[in-house]
Amino acid sequence: MIPISSKRYILEIYLLQEAHGHATISGIAKVLRVTVSAASKMAGKLKTDGYIHFQPYGTVTLTKAGLEIAKELFQDHQVLMEFYQIIGVEEKLIRKKVSDVEMHIGTEVVFKIKSFIEDHKKNA
């Protein structure tokens, strides 16, 4: 079982990696609103756990194991983003609101939300 804090970092590293080809500690810290020191410490833990490649003062990229987890987290992220749009959450607030809950919602709940979205689209 991966801790929620680790999942949040893995997802944000994935998003940065997709956007820029890699992530940096300062970029991760900025996105997660933590200190560079805290981001560096977590990067060390994620490296030890085998989820990222990381050199101090260098770039951060996901390992194969990290990428697999990140893709699952991103799929859940996308489902929740779409759900929040459907229920009318203000567009500029959606990413923040999803970020607040996405690591706490289990796969079973995301699956049910995805089914709800599919039913909603059929009946729209």
Side-chain angles (χ1 to χ4, degrees), residues 36-98:
V36 171
S37 176
S40 184
K41 183 176 178 181
M42 179 58 87
K45 181 182 180 331
L46 292 173
K47 180 180 179 180
T48 299
D49 292 345
Y51 298 123
I52 65 168
H53 299 290
F54 162 63
Q55 295 295 325
Y57 308 106
T59 59
V60 178
T61 54
L62 294 165
T63 62
K64 184 177 178 182
L67 189 58
E68 288 176 13
I69 292 165
K71 286 181 178 180
E72 290 175 19
L73 293 170
F74 183 68
Q75 287 175 348
D76 291 353
H77 176 82
Q78 292 296 94
V79 168
L80 293 172
M81 294 282 288
E82 186 175 0
F83 178 67
Y84 277 46
Q85 288 172 336
I86 289 170
I87 63 172
V89 174
E90 192 175 343
E91 197 69 33
K92 67 181 182 180
L93 300 176
I94 290 176
R95 182 153 173 21
K96 168 74 170 99
K97 297 289 184 185
V98 168

Side-chain angles (χ1 to χ4, degrees), residues 87-113:
I87 63 172
V89 174
E90 192 175 343
E91 197 69 33
K92 67 181 182 180
L93 300 176
I94 290 176
R95 182 153 173 21
K96 168 74 170 99
K97 297 289 184 185
V98 168
S99 179
D100 289 345
V101 301
E102 68 187 334
M103 298 299 156
H104 303 282
I105 293 179
T107 304
E108 180 181 327
V109 173
V110 173
F111 179 79
K112 290 183 182 292
I113 291 171

